[in-house]
């Protein structure tokens, strides 16, 4: 059976939703597990900071802000991969037979089935690696970063809010190997020791641990449309990288070294606390960035709901549930399965291995009045 949902909130107080209890969709594209791993990757280092007594409210609340917008984008991408049932073909055949429309559809099909879009089910690198933390309260971003093409469209960029691009260093190690897995890393690419020390001290004053790592800026990197990634790294003096491999702040070689006030401002953002140790979450909620985040999430939620509506026509046996418990949802699915006419499609049942009878054989699929849904059901 298929579940298709995205939770309205991924965190509340001390409770956090991760993986299938936060979102679920059909297996097309293989993005269910990958999205769950990304949830855990985003949350684990924040929980580690909480266990050390370092986590601010902004740090913990950033999980819901960062992951829900990424999950909504992934859910809408998966919606485009869901195949429509064969029952739809007789309804669409007259439309496809209309010559101008048919010619246009053939051109679109050729584009979608060749080149960049040939492997949408298997090569969704733009979704998996191209996520941007545009509205995160923990990123000192300079501008809104445009999203990548979900299918085969990951474009490595060295910007605050983007994923740290892969780079192979002269000693044979990957640059990601120098990033701590439970705290911020101040990555020195050039002589920026004074700035790094000032930022480290400012973070330490706010009760936030970090490590300082120095790597060679000149290394062989993978090619991008703008040239070698190594050249991009060589343009930077320092990067602040989160344990989930997202850049939180960058200092370019061409920029003027930040003064004490600028360093304090960056430390406020990264820690979620002011210099006096006061939590900044109330300040974040009053900011224009927070209002922009809420507007964007509302837009993405409404767009997701609009994309879900056609599934009710494509899959008449589907049951819509909202704001109910799991038991109530299962009861609604069973009631819909019993009353749905056979023309709407079979609603078969399967049995878990632990529920098999003594003989070890699975019973035949239920039909007619025995057709049920819920925990062990599967849509064709």
């Amino acid at each position: 059976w298929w579940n298709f949902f995205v939770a309205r909130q991924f965190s509340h107080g001390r409770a956090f939703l991760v993986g299938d209890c936060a979102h679920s969709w059909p297996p097309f594209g293989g993005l269910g597990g990958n999205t769950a791993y990304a949830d855990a990757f985003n949350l684990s280092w924040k929980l580690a900071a909480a266990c050390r007594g370092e986590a601010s409210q902004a740090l913990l609340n950033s999980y819901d802000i960062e992951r829900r917008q990424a999950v909504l984008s992934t859910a809408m991408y998966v919606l485009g991969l869901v195949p429509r049932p064969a029952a739809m073909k007789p309804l669409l055949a007259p439309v496809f037979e209309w010559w101008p429309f048919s010619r246009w559809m053939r051109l679109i099909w050729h584009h979608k089935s060749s080149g960049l879009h040939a492997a949408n089910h298997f090569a969704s690198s733009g979704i998996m690696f191209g996520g941007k933390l545009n509205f995160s309260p923990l990123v000192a971003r300079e501008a809104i970063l445009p999203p990548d093409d979900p299918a085969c469209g990951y474009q490595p960029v060295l910007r605050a809010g983007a994923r740290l691009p892969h780079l192979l260093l002269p000693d044979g190690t990957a640059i990601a190997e120098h990033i701590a897995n439970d705290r911020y890393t101040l990555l020195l690419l050039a002589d920026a020791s004074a700035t790094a020390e000032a930022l480290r001290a400012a973070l330490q004053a706010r009760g936030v641990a970090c490590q300082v790592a120095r790597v060679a800026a000149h290394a062989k990197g993978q090619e991008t449309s703008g040239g070698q990634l190594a050249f991009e790294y060589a343009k930077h003096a320092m990067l602040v990288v989160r344990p989930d491999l997202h850049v939180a702040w960058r200092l370019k070689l061409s920029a003027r070294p930040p003064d004490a006030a600028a360093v304090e401002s960056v430390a406020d953002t990264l820690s979620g606390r002011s210099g006096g140790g006061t939590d900044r979450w109330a300040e974040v909620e009053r900011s224009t960035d927070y209002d922009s985040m809420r507007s964007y999430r509302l837009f993405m939620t409404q767009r997701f709901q609009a994309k879900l509506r056609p599934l009710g026509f494509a899959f008449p046996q589907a049951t819509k549930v909202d704001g109910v418990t799991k038991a109530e949802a299962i009861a609604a699915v069973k009631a819909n399965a019993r009353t749905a006419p056979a023309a709407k499609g079979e609603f078969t049942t399967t049995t878990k291995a632990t529920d098999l009878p003594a003989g070890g054989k699975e019973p035949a699929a239920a039909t007619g009045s025995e057709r049920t849904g819920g925990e062990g059901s599967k849509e064709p």
Side-chain angles (χ1 to χ4, degrees):
W1 61 287
W2 291 347
N3 236 343
F4 215 132
F5 78 92
V6 175
R8 296 185 184 276
Q9 282 183 275
F10 282 16
S11 66
H12 182 74
R14 299 178 62 184
F16 299 86
L17 301 182
V18 179
D20 283 356
C21 62
H23 45 77
S24 180
W25 42 69
F28 304 106
L31 294 171
N34 287 334
T35 308
Y37 301 147
D39 293 344
F41 205 30
N42 183 287
L43 182 60
S44 58
W45 70 277
K46 299 173 183 178
L47 293 182
C51 291
R52 296 194 301 265
E54 301 174 1
S56 63
Q57 195 62 45
L59 180 72
L60 296 176
N61 289 351
S62 68
Y63 170 70
D64 174 67
I65 295 173
E66 294 171 356
R67 287 306 302 157
R68 192 170 186 273
Q69 67 181 45
V71 167
L72 284 170
S73 298
T74 305
M76 285 186 283
Y77 177 70
V78 174
L79 271 172
L81 303 180
V82 175
R84 297 324 187 233
M88 295 284 291
K89 293 181 181 179
L91 300 175
L92 297 177
V95 180
F96 288 132
E97 289 174 359
W98 185 44
W99 184 84
F101 186 77
S102 176
R103 178 178 176 81
W104 177 74
M105 285 297 294
R106 283 197 297 269
L107 292 175
I108 293 297
W109 178 263
H110 175 73
H111 169 68
K112 292 290 187 181
S113 302
S114 62
L116 182 66
H117 296 277
N120 283 8
H121 286 264
F122 307 103
S124 49
S125 63
I127 281 288
M128 290 190 286
F129 302 115
K132 308 296 193 300
L133 306 181
N134 278 323
F135 300 105
S136 172
L138 301 181
V139 174
R141 61 176 177 82
E142 304 130 26
I144 296 293
L145 301 179
D148 290 341
D149 186 316
C152 311
Y154 170 55
Q155 295 294 325
V157 292
L158 200 54
R159 301 283 295 276
R163 183 183 177 86
L164 182 74
H166 168 69
L167 185 72
L168 191 64
L169 300 176
D171 61 1
T173 63
I175 196 167
E177 295 181 48
H178 299 266
I179 307 303
N181 61 10
D182 62 347
R183 64 196 64 200
Y184 286 112
T185 298
L186 311 185
L187 196 64
L188 294 179
L189 303 169
D191 187 14
S193 300
T195 301
E197 180 57 29
L199 183 57
R200 186 196 65 78
L203 289 173
Q204 191 174 35
R206 290 160 176 79
V208 176
C210 65
Q211 76 167 23
V212 179
R214 184 182 294 274
V215 298
H218 302 283
K220 294 181 179 180
Q222 65 190 63
E223 292 187 356
T224 64
S225 57
Q228 297 285 338
L229 268 177
F231 297 157
E232 289 300 314
Y233 274 98
K235 296 177 183 177
H236 291 77
M238 186 177 76
L239 301 171
V240 177
V241 186
R242 302 171 10 153
D244 58 5
L245 298 182
H246 277 83
V247 178
W249 182 64
R250 64 173 183 162
L251 176 63
K252 299 190 71 173
L253 279 173
S254 58
R256 182 179 302 174
D259 56 20
V263 171
E264 292 289 324
S265 176
V266 171
D268 287 350
T269 300
L270 300 183
S271 65
R273 292 193 180 99
S274 62
T278 305
D279 198 292
R280 295 182 61 248
W281 178 244
E283 180 183 338
V284 170
E285 287 185 303
R286 294 192 300 267
S287 66
T288 55
D289 273 358
Y290 189 78
D291 290 338
S292 299
M293 181 276 296
R294 288 173 59 90
S295 298
Y296 181 72
R297 278 176 52 149
L298 178 61
F299 164 74
M300 293 289 286
T301 301
Q302 291 174 340
R303 188 179 174 198
F304 172 61
Q305 291 172 336
K307 281 181 168 284
L308 272 177
R309 290 190 187 104
L311 285 185
F313 174 73
F315 299 96
Q317 69 271 44
T319 303
K320 178 182 177 181
V321 293
D322 188 14
V324 298
T325 65
K326 180 180 178 181
E328 292 169 338
I330 292 175
V333 171
K334 289 182 176 181
N336 183 56
R338 292 192 188 99
T339 58
K344 286 189 174 183
E346 292 297 317
F347 196 83
T348 60
T349 62
T350 58
T351 305
K352 295 180 180 179
T354 55
D355 298 331
L356 292 179
K361 294 183 178 180
E362 184 173 343
T367 58
S369 60
E370 297 178 358
R371 210 179 294 135
T372 60
E375 190 73 19
S377 61
K378 178 179 69 175
E379 291 182 4

